[in-house]
Amino acid sequence: MIERSLTRSSLSSTPSTATTTQEGSEDGIVIKATGKNAKSPSTDWELDCYSRPVVVDGKKLWEILLIDSTESFRYVKTLPSNQVNSKELRRVIESVIDSVETKPDTIRFFRGAMFNMINIALSDVSVVAKPSRCTFALSSWLEQRHAIVYPAMEGYRGSMREKGQRATFLDIRVPRKLPDALRGEKYAFVGLPAFEFLDGGSISSENIGMGKLCTLPRNLPADAFIQGVVILTQRAKALATWLSGVEIVGMSCNLRKRTVVMETDIDTEYLMAKLNDVQRKEANIFEEGKAGMAGLHFISVQENEDEDPEGFWLLRDLPSGI
C-alpha cells in the first residue's frame, strides 16, 4: 500500500496525501509507504538532482529525487533545464520538509558533478549536508527507475546512460594506511545465507552493535549466500566505534595488488590487509559473490569467532550507470 499527495506543489504550496500504486506517475508528489512492510520514517534523507536518459522537447529531462533511508517516503520532481539551480533545488527540498512530520537531520548525496549546486542549496536548510556514497535507498530506487520507468518514457535514449562511469564522487587511487591502533589481528572471508537478513532471520538492527543494515535488493533469493569479511581484533569496540563515524561504503579486494581495501565516506580508502596465495583465492570468491548479489556484502567486527559483533554492516556497492 502506498499513499501519495494529489496536489502538485506550486512555488508556495506543499504536498498532501492520497493513495496510488503507480510508479512513474508521481511527479511533484510525496509518496508514503504504508502496510505491514512499511518502516518508521528516518531523519536520514538521501538526495539526487541530475539529468536522466530522456529527451523532452529537445532537452534532457532533469529530476530531483528525495527518499529517506528506511524508504518510508519518496519524492520525484521534474525540472525544466532553465530551473536547474540551487535556489529552485532549495525551494523543492524545503517544500518536502514542510509536508512531512519527521524532519531530516542529515541529507546525503553522492553525485560529484552536482556537488557545488547541492551544497549551496542545502547551506540554507537546517540539516547536515553530507557528501556520501552511503545512499543505499536512493541508489536502489535509481536502479529501479533506470530499469523500468525511464525506458517507458517517450524520448528515452539508452545511449545517454553513463554506463562506463563509476557512481562515486571521485576516482579513488591510493589507499591510506589504517591507524595501527585500529588494525585487526585476523581477517576471514565468510558467507551467510540471505534468509538471515530477511524478516524472521537472525540478523536485525537490534543485534548488530554499532553497525547498519543497508536496503536489501528487491526479490532477494532467500537461498543465496551473501559474502563478507570478518575482522577479528582485541580492539573490536574501538574499531567499530571509529567505523561508525566514517560511514563505511564497502570492502573490496584488488586481486592484482593482493590487497583488501575498505572504502569510507566519499573519497577515502584504507588498506586493511595484504593477501597471500590462499587468501587471494578466498578474495576471488568474495568478489564473485558480490558481483552475483548486485554488490551486496557485509563487514563484521568482533573480538573472536564466538563473540557477538561490536559492529556489523550490511553494504552494497553503488551500481554504475545511475
Side-chain angles (χ1 to χ4, degrees):
M1 174 78 78
I2 295 175
E3 292 183 352
R4 76 172 186 177
S5 125
L6 290 177
T7 305
R8 305 194 178 194
S9 57
S10 65
L11 287 176
S12 59
S13 65
T14 55
S16 56
T17 61
T19 301
T20 187
T21 57
Q22 181 92 23
E23 173 81 30
S25 62
E26 51 196 32
D27 185 49
I29 299 165
V30 173
I31 307 288
K32 293 184 178 180
T34 60
K36 65 177 182 180
N37 294 323
K39 297 181 180 179
S40 299
S42 171
T43 57
D44 289 334
W45 287 20
E46 301 170 11
L47 165 70
D48 189 39
C49 179
Y50 204 58
S51 63
R52 309 304 180 202
V54 178
V55 175
V56 180
D57 296 330
K59 297 180 179 180
K60 284 184 178 180
L61 173 72
W62 282 80
E63 286 183 335
I64 298 171
L65 302 185
L66 272 168
I67 190 170
D68 69 350
S69 63
T70 59
E71 300 187 37
S72 75
F73 85 92
R74 64 177 187 260
Y75 176 86
V76 181
K77 179 66 177 177
T78 59
L79 289 180
S81 58
N82 63 356
Q83 291 185 23
V84 180
N85 56 64
S86 58
K87 182 178 180 180
E88 177 66 10
L89 177 58
R90 179 172 61 251
R91 183 197 68 77
V92 171
I93 293 169
E94 288 177 337
S95 73
V96 176
I97 292 174
D98 289 341
S99 73
V100 298
E101 293 182 6
T102 303
K103 312 300 183 184
D105 293 330
T106 301
I107 298 182
R108 292 177 173 83
F109 59 97
F110 74 90
R111 191 82 67 180
M114 304 301 294
F115 173 81
N116 288 337
M117 193 186 86
I118 294 176
N119 211 37
I120 291 170
L122 293 177
S123 64
D124 290 328
V125 182
S126 298
V127 297
V128 175
K130 187 168 289 189
S132 173
R133 291 171 287 169
C134 294
T135 51
F136 302 116
L138 175 63
S139 61
S140 178
W141 185 25
L142 272 168
E143 195 172 33
Q144 179 190 26
R145 291 182 67 80
H146 276 288
I148 299 172
V149 178
Y150 303 136
M153 290 183 174
E154 185 177 353
Y156 175 70
R157 302 287 188 272
S159 59
M160 291 169 58
R161 283 192 69 180
E162 298 174 351
K163 295 181 180 180
Q165 296 190 10
R166 190 179 181 184
T168 57
F169 186 81
L170 296 171
D171 284 332
I172 301 170
R173 299 298 181 187
V174 181
R176 301 180 183 182
K177 182 181 179 182
L178 193 71
D180 290 339
L182 299 174
R183 285 186 171 275
E185 287 89 43
K186 293 181 180 180
Y187 300 85
F189 293 100
V190 299
L192 288 174
F195 66 76
E196 297 288 7
F197 298 91
L198 302 175
D199 290 341
S202 64
I203 300 172
S204 70
S205 58
E206 297 180 358
N207 60 8
I208 57 173
M210 303 176 203
K212 285 186 177 182
L213 302 176
C214 75
T215 304
L216 288 169
R218 292 171 174 80
N219 302 318
L220 181 69
D223 58 350
F225 268 75
I226 298 174
Q227 300 298 316
V229 177
V230 175
I231 303 172
L232 301 173
T233 172
Q234 293 302 306
R235 298 180 289 270
K237 187 172 183 178
L239 178 56
T241 301
W242 181 76
L243 291 176
S244 67
V246 297
E247 297 214 340
I248 306 174
V249 176
M251 191 79 82
S252 62
C253 299
N254 188 316
L255 301 180
R256 182 178 62 84
K257 294 182 179 180
R258 295 172 176 258
T259 57
V260 181
V261 171
M262 179 181 289
E263 299 185 15
T264 68
D265 300 318
I266 197 67
D267 61 354
T268 307
E269 275 189 341
Y270 288 97
L271 177 62
M272 301 296 293
K274 293 281 190 176
L275 298 168
N276 60 31
D277 289 342
V278 174
Q279 293 167 336
R280 188 171 182 269
K281 293 179 181 179
E282 295 174 344
N284 186 51
I285 295 173
F286 169 78
E287 288 295 333
E288 288 180 347
K290 277 205 306 178
M293 293 292 287
L296 203 64
H297 62 291
F298 67 86
I299 300 170
S300 182
V301 178
Q302 51 199 83
E303 286 194 6
N304 56 60
E305 296 176 358
D306 298 322
E307 295 290 333
D308 290 335
E310 293 289 346
F312 185 102
W313 288 263
L314 180 65
L315 307 162
R316 188 185 177 201
D317 293 344
L318 285 184
S320 62
I322 60 170

